[in-house]
Amino acid sequence: MDHAVVIGASMSGLLSAAALHRRFARVTVLDRDILPAVDAHRRGVGQSRHAHGLLARGREAMEELLPGITGELVAQGAMLGDMQERGRHVHAGIRLARGTCGLDGLLVSRPLLEGQIRRRTSALPGVRVLSERIVTGLLSEKGRVTGVCLAGGEPIPADLVMDAAGRGSRTPSWLGELGYEPPREDRVEIDVRYATWEFVRRHDHLDGDQVVIVGPTPETPRAGVALALEDDRWIVTLVGYGEGAPLDLPGFAAYAAILPVPDLHELVTTAEPIGQPRAYRTPAAVRRRYERLARFPEGLLVTGDAVCAFNPLYGQGMTVAAMEAGALLDPDLNPRPFFRRIAGVVDTPWEITVGGDLRMPGVQGDPTPKMRLVAAYLDRFHAAAAHDPELTRRFLRVTNLYDPPPALMSPAALIRVLRSGGQRAVPVPA
């Protein structure tokens, strides 16, 4: 095959291009933004100024597509390490036991990560990444997509078009123009609001730890994360359902003080702030069910947030994008088998995030009986994991998308939870 066109130089689009270059002589990535020449925030990625989690499975998937990318990022200041050993994980209001899990995560800012992936992808044979190109429609012939049309009317023929345009994907409306049904949407109104400050990082902060993750609870639907970044920085993002943290530093600190552990409050009241705070809002989590369509044109695929835009609180979007890009290495690039493959990638993180969201006050929708049962069990699981590093390790394997959620209910895990007596742990400072 000769030419593939990717709509969007997003993380998903760039990683898709890295996969497609192994199958096509030429790959053209088109983005509407002016792409920065240096590692910088850009208009089309409003969330880039907030904390981004790159799960261990996502780092491995990126490494498979762009060998050596981890080492290149570490050489530029990113930090690689065991996710359990160097991190403080607080879930259901409980501080989980420390230990080692064997999962190496990467701490890196979104601009550095995206910039390095863009540089690597652009350097691949036959790949071009073009900015300020707005795709206005699809070209088609006899039931097959044959390219795209740019603003101004310029056609670009292609053997395959990949839509990686994110939440604003126009594929559902383009399908209607071609005589196809759009996909059904599963939508959960979450109204998640972010506020972020950066701080100067000293090596004595948090006793040398590099990660703090505090999840929300139904009683306190607020969350927070602090990640160590390159250039001796902390990025601290506070998240709320229906209401966000104030952007003035005293209000930001007061918001952090309500979290069930004091770690983030102590950090933001002792570290020196950098720059200006930023806010961001995600109104809904949306999944488009392309895998359930009976008819779909050949020559067109959809990936990334254009298929499923998760609640970003859980930090799974970039990892899912990388895993979906890996699905392009399968010999069969016809739409129906591709959409089935990536549905298998999306199912677990969607189940995790929606199950968590529906427990929060103000989120519309009723948890299924299965979700209620799982939530009750997880409360006991987390209480046991406060004293059992092995349970923490198993939990991190699920949240990092190595194991499915039922792994937490394996006979070995159940025995550990039952032996703990199921007593709810009381959070204490580290």
Side-chain angles (χ1 to χ4, degrees):
M1 290 184 283
D2 181 58
H3 188 209
V5 165
V6 179
I7 305 172
S10 58
M11 293 289 292
S12 179
L14 293 168
L15 293 170
S16 294
L20 290 171
H21 107 279
R22 304 184 188 185
R23 308 285 302 276
F24 292 83
R26 296 182 298 130
V27 180
T28 303
V29 182
L30 306 169
D31 198 275
R32 63 187 303 132
D33 273 359
I34 299 175
L35 299 175
V38 296
D39 299 334
H41 302 286
R42 62 186 180 93
R43 185 182 64 180
V45 189
Q47 72 273 29
S48 72
R49 297 181 183 276
H50 304 272
H52 273 66
L54 178 58
L55 305 180
R57 181 67 186 91
R59 184 194 63 78
E60 288 185 3
M62 291 179 187
E63 189 70 26
E64 291 165 5
L65 294 165
L66 296 168
I69 190 74
T70 299
E72 294 164 1
L73 289 164
V74 169
Q76 296 175 75
M79 288 157 280
L80 182 68
D82 187 283
M83 299 188 72
Q84 185 176 358
E85 185 176 36
R86 66 176 181 174
R88 303 180 181 189
H89 300 271
V90 180
H91 295 274
I94 298 166
R95 193 187 301 278
L96 305 189
R98 303 290 285 268
T100 58
C101 62
L103 306 179
D104 286 335
L106 191 67
L107 294 172
V108 58
S109 68
R110 173 63 181 258
L112 174 55
L113 178 61
E114 184 175 310
Q116 185 62 21
I117 288 176
R118 187 166 58 246
R119 284 188 288 274
R120 281 291 306 275
T121 302
S122 300
L124 294 171
V127 176
R128 295 187 304 161
V129 180
L130 305 178
S131 62
E132 297 185 275
R133 303 298 200 280
I134 300 175
V135 177
T136 58
L138 301 175
L139 306 175
S140 67
E141 183 178 341
K142 297 179 180 178
R144 181 179 184 87
V145 170
T146 57
V148 300
C149 185
L150 300 184
E154 179 187 354
I156 299 184
D159 299 287
L160 177 72
V161 173
M162 168 65 78
D163 179 3
R167 288 175 178 262
S169 164
R170 296 183 60 191
T171 290
S173 62
W174 288 338
L175 288 175
E177 293 172 5
L178 296 177
Y180 293 85
E181 291 291 326
R184 194 192 84 192
E185 282 191 356
D186 292 346
R187 186 178 181 94
V188 182
E189 303 291 339
I190 53 177
D191 192 19
V192 165
R193 306 187 185 200
Y194 276 49
T196 295
W197 275 86
E198 290 191 5
F199 298 86
V200 174
R201 178 167 55 90
R202 299 197 314 264
H203 294 294
D204 60 325
H205 283 153
L206 299 176
D207 297 324
D209 288 339
Q210 297 175 321
V211 176
V212 179
I213 298 173
V214 183
T217 67
E219 299 77 24
T220 307
R222 295 180 176 183
V225 60
L227 304 178
L229 297 183
E230 66 274 8
D231 300 324
D232 292 323
R233 290 176 293 154
W234 289 108
I235 187 167
V236 179
T237 295
L238 301 179
V239 187
Y241 286 79
E243 49 87 31
L247 294 183
D248 63 286
L249 196 55
F252 189 81
Y255 194 95
I258 297 175
L259 296 174
V261 293
D263 308 48
L264 294 178
H265 179 257
E266 291 177 1
L267 181 61
V268 303
T269 54
T270 57
E272 177 187 348
I274 302 172
Q276 297 300 313
R278 301 285 179 172
Y280 186 71
R281 177 173 176 262
T282 298
V286 181
R287 182 176 184 181
R288 296 180 174 122
R289 294 286 190 165
Y290 283 102
E291 77 277 12
R292 297 182 179 178
L293 289 174
R295 296 175 61 245
F296 195 86
E298 298 294 317
L300 175 64
L301 298 176
V302 190
T303 192
D305 281 2
V307 171
C308 187
F310 298 94
N311 179 348
L313 167 63
Y314 295 87
Q316 295 173 320
M318 293 194 300
T319 294
V320 170
M323 294 171 69
E324 290 177 347
L328 292 168
L329 300 178
D330 190 280
D332 191 349
L333 289 185
N334 289 308
R336 294 192 72 178
F338 173 77
F339 288 134
R340 284 197 295 268
R341 289 197 298 274
I342 67 170
V345 172
V346 169
D347 283 344
T348 291
W350 182 255
E351 177 183 343
I352 292 171
T353 59
V354 170
D357 288 336
L358 290 178
R359 298 188 72 191
M360 297 300 121
V363 176
Q364 299 175 10
D366 294 320
T368 65
K370 177 185 175 183
M371 288 178 179
R372 295 181 189 277
L373 179 64
V374 168
Y377 173 74
L378 283 178
D379 284 343
R380 296 191 65 180
F381 182 98
H382 288 130
H387 313 289
D388 189 336
E390 172 60 19
L391 288 179
T392 302
R393 186 189 72 84
R394 290 170 181 261
F395 178 72
L396 291 175
R397 285 191 60 84
V398 170
T399 59
N400 278 265
L401 306 184
Y402 287 96
D403 297 335
L408 300 181
M409 301 179 186
S410 69
L414 281 168
I415 289 171
R416 287 178 174 271
V417 172
L418 292 173
R419 282 177 177 171
S420 77
Q423 298 300 313
R424 189 170 180 82
V426 178
V428 294

